[in-house]
Amino acid sequence: MMMMMLLFLHGGWVFVCVFLGIFCRKLRAFIRWMRENGIEYSDALAFHEGDKTVAADIGVKALYDLKEGDLIATIPKEACLTVKTSQAAAMIDEAELGGDLGLAVAVMYERSKQQFSKWYGYLQLLPFRQSLPIIWSLIEIDSLLAGTELHKAIKEDRSLIQQDWRECYGILKDLYGEKFLENWFTLEHFLAAKTLVASRAFQVDDIHGFGMVPLADLFNHKTAAEDVHFTSVFDDSNSEEADLSSSPIRNKHDIGQFHLDLNSNNNGCHHEGSEEAVSSSQNGVENSTGSPSDWEGNTDILEMILVKDVAEGHEIFNTYGMLSNSALLHRYGFTEPNNPFDIVNVELATVSDICCQSFTQRHFRRRVNIWRKTGCEPCSSEGSEYFEITADGRPQAELLMLLYIIHLPDPACSSLLFEDDLVGKATRDVVAENENKLNAVGRVARVLGWSKGLCSQRVLVEDNNGNISAKPGKRKRQTRSSKLTKHETEMLSTTNRKHKKNPSKEPATQILGELDCWLLTIPVCRCLMSVLLERNSLYPQEEEGSMTKSVQMRSGKNFSLKDSVDYERTKLENINCEQDPKLFHALSLRLSERTILHKCWCLISERLKSLI
């Protein structure tokens, strides 16, 4: 047994050494290619092996302390692989293939040319494909992404991509059959090129459009923590880019070659004596007041400029935007823990399903129609209408207003359609409050009686004429008794016990806001909690015995959204990202989304308890 373990370990080290040897050769070839194609970069930068948990093959670290405003790289646009610069430019143009479709074809064409392609030194460094969900099997998509924001989108994307492939390859084969070799232009190669374009392409400019930008795509992403800014140099002195291009903190002497650093402790092979590396006597990048004339006003150059200080040994991050985990996994193949830009969508159809358990479909449709006519509307994308819940658990105000209107008595709700002063009254209120603008929800709420400072411990009271007013004090019975059922009492007690053990950083009233609390009446709270449970039930069902049985409060059985979160977290902790990245990031996405649902549940249950 010991001998077998030693042999296994020895074989593993051999594999690692071979892998690093191949990687170093590719990296040195890429460095030569950059030098030959005019890409210049600071010698204060070093490559290092990327973090596999964020699907990164390579990253870039600072060898010395760098300062905000330092220019760390310039990249000629001609070195970027775009539809305009590709050898297939004329053919792609004649075939009328543009955007990311045209760029994917350009990448495939250059790959088919192999060492005869201008970008061979760059393309050989890239993986064949990025592990994005669009190349997962249908079984993996259904089993791993069910219930998430991605599930429907990925299945639609796959269908559209296959359709794009059939159409574009048919055109190219008819026009240039002999130049587009069949073994290099399969559906597999097309999907691989699409994943590279989706995860690595930048907007170069209006002429080139999107393109593969060598070097710039090696800087990894960190949400809300951008270190470097990627920009074009323009002639217009009034543009922000022109201000950056004329920054005095740039000196061509600072532009050297990368060191190779494959050791996480920064003590690895720098290859400082090789022809691909340039030694430096500097302790950092010089700041010069000179601005080389050959850079000024050059519209053919892209620049990478630090937007904040970076300490020695730290990785230099770019940012792909303020994206949720759903968007990150969709486009780049990874997720981030505690992403502040995460959201969960609740479809209008889900709200309809829950509301139609207490009201008729006719009642629901009529109230939605009134809600829309007041100026409220849901989010929409590709024919789907939905509401968002933010990372801190706050539901979209339009959803709260819809549930509020659904539970209004008929006379009060109908009167909204004949409220000629709906906008006018809101306008006068706005002017009286230092011209702070209100959205549609705020305008409707003011007509219904809301104003700042109104006691949140109130109920809607209907007089004999059907008029609605908000009054504090004893609550009047509405659609459903305000008295908690035995099951609701048990659930709220459980939620609050768990909430006290892990209290939120902010009180619910600070997260929700005064208007949100005003809209969250007892029936609205109950309805919204049922919507949350219904939304949570869309995820893959937990194994028997791993969670409290059943999921629906309305069925009178036990359930806790906290159990869902604990279940996903436990599964995630037992998964190795490098061994099973698909499952790891799918679980991470599900955990982040179900955590948001649980946060929203806690806020609403806290509000409900304050009203009882």
Side-chain angles (χ1 to χ4, degrees), residues 109-154:
Y109 185 83
E110 296 300 333
R111 278 183 157 178
S112 73
K113 305 300 290 184
Q114 300 185 71
Q115 65 269 26
F116 299 106
S117 168
K118 172 183 175 179
W119 287 273
Y120 179 70
Y122 164 60
L123 293 174
Q124 55 85 37
L125 184 68
L126 304 182
F128 175 66
R129 65 171 70 86
Q130 296 289 152
S131 183
L132 305 188
I134 58 170
I135 63 171
W136 296 3
S137 69
L138 289 176
I139 294 177
E140 289 173 328
I141 292 172
D142 287 335
S143 62
L144 298 179
L145 299 178
T148 69
E149 300 303 306
L150 277 186
H151 189 215
K152 184 188 297 185
I154 292 299

Side-chain angles (χ1 to χ4, degrees), residues 42 78 193 249 298:
S42 170
E78 285 300 313
I249 308 176
N298 192 338

Side-chain angles (χ1 to χ4, degrees), residues 392-410:
D392 57 4
R394 183 176 183 176
Q396 189 172 333
E398 284 78 4
L399 171 59
L400 299 183
M401 179 56 77
L402 174 59
L403 298 180
Y404 189 93
I405 289 177
I406 286 172
H407 289 86
L408 275 177
D410 283 331

Side-chain angles (χ1 to χ4, degrees), residues 52-69:
K52 301 303 182 183
T53 62
V54 292
D57 299 306
I58 305 175
V60 182
K61 286 184 179 179
L63 286 177
Y64 322 118
D65 290 342
L66 295 173
K67 300 297 182 183
E68 178 182 351

Side-chain angles (χ1 to χ4, degrees), residues 263-516:
N263 188 296
S264 60
N265 295 322
N266 296 324
N267 295 318
C269 53
H270 293 299
H271 298 274
E272 289 158 333
S274 70
E275 63 177 349
E276 289 76 36
V278 177
S279 62
S280 173
S281 60
Q282 297 173 300
N283 292 322
V285 177
E286 289 182 356
N287 292 338
S288 171
T289 56
S291 183
S293 59
D294 57 333
W295 291 2
E296 286 195 23
N298 192 338
T299 61
D300 297 325
I301 287 180
L302 302 171
E303 292 185 338
M304 302 196 73
I305 300 172
L306 292 181
V307 295
K308 64 183 181 183
D309 296 350
V310 178
E312 175 185 350
H314 286 215
E315 182 167 0
I316 302 173
F317 290 102
N318 193 359
T319 183
Y320 306 156
M322 296 181 290
L323 303 177
S324 66
N325 274 338
S326 176
L328 287 174
L329 183 56
H330 189 187
R331 295 172 57 184
Y332 304 107
F334 67 90
T335 56
E336 284 190 317
N338 304 314
N339 188 334
F341 303 106
D342 267 335
I343 58 170
V344 171
N345 293 340
V346 177
E347 293 192 359
L348 180 60
T350 301
V351 179
S352 173
D353 291 342
I354 294 300
C355 290
C356 288
Q357 294 174 9
S358 301
F359 302 96
T360 64
Q361 290 186 355
R362 180 180 179 184
H363 174 92
F364 179 79
R365 288 196 300 268
R366 184 171 183 272
R367 294 305 175 90
V368 170
N369 185 47
I370 294 173
W371 173 75
R372 291 183 189 274
K373 288 184 177 180
T374 62
C376 298
E377 58 183 13
C379 302
S380 61
S381 176
E382 299 179 355
S384 176
E385 294 186 312
Y386 59 91
F387 303 96
E388 293 181 346
I389 302 176
T390 59
D392 57 4
R394 183 176 183 176
Q396 189 172 333
E398 284 78 4
L399 171 59
L400 299 183
M401 179 56 77
L402 174 59
L403 298 180
Y404 189 93
I405 289 177
I406 286 172
H407 289 86
L408 275 177
D410 283 331
C413 190
S414 300
S415 66
L416 288 174
L417 293 176
F418 305 100
E419 183 60 64
D420 295 331
D421 203 30
L422 180 61
V423 178
K425 180 177 180 180
T427 302
R428 288 195 300 274
D429 290 338
V430 167
V431 173
E433 294 190 1
N434 300 319
E435 300 182 349
N436 291 325
K437 294 184 178 180
L438 291 174
N439 58 17
V441 173
R443 293 197 302 268
V444 176
R446 289 196 180 282
V447 170
L448 291 172
W450 174 75
S451 64
K452 281 192 174 182
L454 185 66
C455 178
S456 61
Q457 300 287 345
R458 59 89 182 96
V459 292
L460 293 176
V461 178
E462 179 181 8
D463 62 22
N464 294 331
N465 296 321
N467 297 317
I468 294 292
S469 60
K471 295 184 178 180
K474 187 176 180 180
R475 298 169 180 78
K476 182 177 179 179
R477 186 179 184 275
Q478 299 182 26
T479 307
R480 180 180 173 188
S481 172
S482 60
K483 184 178 180 180
L484 288 176
T485 64
K486 179 180 179 181
H487 174 62
E488 288 175 331
T489 303
E490 292 174 352
M491 292 184 66
L492 289 175
S493 297
T494 302
T495 298
N496 278 278
R497 284 197 303 271
K498 293 177 178 178
H499 186 61
K500 288 178 181 178
K501 292 180 181 179
N502 299 286
S504 175
K505 294 181 179 179
E506 297 180 276
T509 52
Q510 291 186 21
I511 295 176
L512 291 172
E514 189 176 336
L515 176 55
D516 295 332

